[in-house]
Amino acid sequence: MNGQTDSLFAGSPAFDKGYLPRDGGHEIYYEQSGNPDGVPAVFLHGGPGAGCPAFHQRFFDPSFYRIVGFDQRGAGKSKPHAGVEANTTAHLIADIEALRAALGVERWLVFGGSWGATLALAYGIRHPERCSGFVLRGVFLGRAREGDWFLDGMGVFFPEARRAFENHLPEGERDDLLAAYHRRLTDPDPAVHLPAAQAWMTYEASCSTLHPPAPRNDGGTASPVALSLARISAHYFINGFFLKETPILENLGAIRHLPAIIVQGRYDMVCPIVTADAVHAAWPGSELVVVPDAGHSALEPGIRAGLVAATERFKEKLG
């Protein structure tokens, strides 16, 4: 192993993959890899709408874990692509539980970063008896202040990225960025929604690492990932992440008895450390690992090393 992912496990081919039919016309794509008889672990991707990355399984020892990854509604290979109808946090929680039952899993380690951490906690609060523990990264709780930070606050540290994000819109649409982007991202015309999707994804990516990547030279063409990420994210943002009636921090009591390791970049500008610290303070049995030289991305060296160390620690707890 070398290069960007040199602290990760070698990948293993999927031993099972398929689609799980769900309500609202959705079909959830999933894969299983690692040890078919191993300790189950489920990977919850971020976004919302980013899709499960190909490297998701490499945070886990494939000889020990039975690794389940899936694309949430509208993301990745799930169908319909970038669909926002019948797509809420409650739907996603129900999908996780339906997938668990379909795969015959009794309990599993729940691993999630960014929005995936939000979903991991929301799922755990709803189904604590199905969770053996949690590995969380770049914690996000879906509160209004966190959404406002993403849309406006990050510009304190990345003013050029924030300015480009704002300047994508005509001057008359800049008073309410979220409403304007949501309107454009849900417009049926690709000439409207694709450039908006690329602008949203570029803004987020520009703020996600301690050392920002080199600017892309792709002619501004939006990828399928950009469309699902941006459209579904805007849909969740504008609806308060569908968590207003069940705020996470106030309901952590349901899972405080379970072990949790939180890996957090000190300079995470997408999901600032104050949120991870609040979860840790409200969860006395949790462990907070602060990576001193990292931002938000799971693939920054210190973050990926911390996540692998966390799944290795859980081998002792779950073996």
Side-chain angles (χ1 to χ4, degrees):
M1 295 183 286
N2 53 51
Q4 188 180 27
T5 55
D6 56 6
S7 63
L8 303 181
F9 288 99
S12 59
F15 64 80
D16 174 44
K17 61 179 69 175
Y19 284 90
L20 180 70
R22 298 294 292 148
D23 59 303
H26 288 275
E27 296 180 53
I28 306 303
Y29 177 79
Y30 70 89
E31 292 186 358
Q32 296 190 80
S33 58
N35 182 353
D37 299 316
V39 171
V42 62
F43 181 101
L44 304 181
H45 67 71
C52 197
F55 59 80
H56 74 276
Q57 59 181 269
R58 299 187 62 191
F59 292 107
F60 305 88
D61 180 349
S63 69
F64 181 85
Y65 286 103
R66 176 185 173 186
I67 309 156
V68 180
F70 73 98
D71 293 321
Q72 295 160 30
R73 294 189 179 210
K77 296 179 182 178
S78 290
K79 306 172 186 177
H81 181 70
V84 295
E85 297 299 323
N87 192 339
T88 69
T89 302
H91 285 107
L92 301 188
I93 291 172
D95 291 345
I96 299 169
E97 186 60 4
L99 182 60
R100 181 201 61 76
L103 298 180
V105 171
E106 184 65 26
R107 299 168 75 228
W108 47 14
L109 175 65
V110 184
F111 182 115
S114 194
W115 163 254
T118 320
L119 187 56
L121 292 168
Y123 170 76
I125 289 167
R126 180 67 181 83
H127 298 285
E129 73 285 357
R130 299 305 183 186
C131 304
S132 56
F134 299 85
V135 175
L136 307 172
R137 170 195 60 84
V139 179
F140 180 78
L141 297 180
R143 296 174 295 182
R145 73 189 77 167
E146 295 167 79
D148 292 344
W149 171 264
F150 178 89
L151 292 165
D152 296 310
M154 290 196 303
V156 172
F157 296 93
F158 293 94
E160 67 283 16
R162 175 60 170 70
R163 184 164 52 249
F165 183 59
E166 181 180 44
N167 287 348
H168 171 76
L169 300 170
E171 193 168 348
E173 296 183 35
R174 296 175 189 170
D175 288 343
D176 188 336
L177 292 186
L178 179 56
Y181 266 98
H182 181 263
R183 183 169 56 252
R184 286 174 171 266
L185 289 164
T186 54
D187 191 293
D189 185 354
V192 176
H193 65 240
L194 289 179
Q198 188 59 49
W200 182 292
M201 186 172 183
T202 298
Y203 173 56
E204 183 169 347
S206 297
C207 305
S208 290
T209 58
L210 185 62
H211 301 287
R216 295 176 55 179
N217 184 21
D218 57 5
T221 302
S223 67
V225 173
L227 180 58
S228 63
L229 169 68
R231 178 181 288 170
I232 297 172
S233 288
H235 167 67
Y236 273 74
F237 268 82
I238 209 162
N239 286 289
F241 297 90
F242 302 98
L243 289 167
K244 292 178 181 177
E245 295 182 5
T246 313
I248 290 172
L249 200 60
E250 291 81 350
N251 288 278
L252 279 180
I255 53 176
R256 281 198 192 102
H257 62 289
L258 295 169
I261 300 176
I262 304 167
V263 179
Q264 177 72 38
R266 170 68 70 183
Y267 299 104
D268 186 336
M269 293 299 156
V270 178
C271 299
I273 190 173
V274 65
T275 303
D277 183 73
V279 170
H280 175 56
W283 195 339
S286 67
E287 178 181 349
L288 176 59
V289 178
V290 178
V291 182
D293 56 351
H296 183 68
S297 172
L299 287 183
E300 291 190 84
I303 298 291
R304 66 179 188 253
L307 292 171
V308 168
T311 62
E312 287 290 279
R313 290 270 304 281
F314 265 102
K315 287 164 65 174
E316 303 169 8
K317 302 175 186 294
L318 305 177

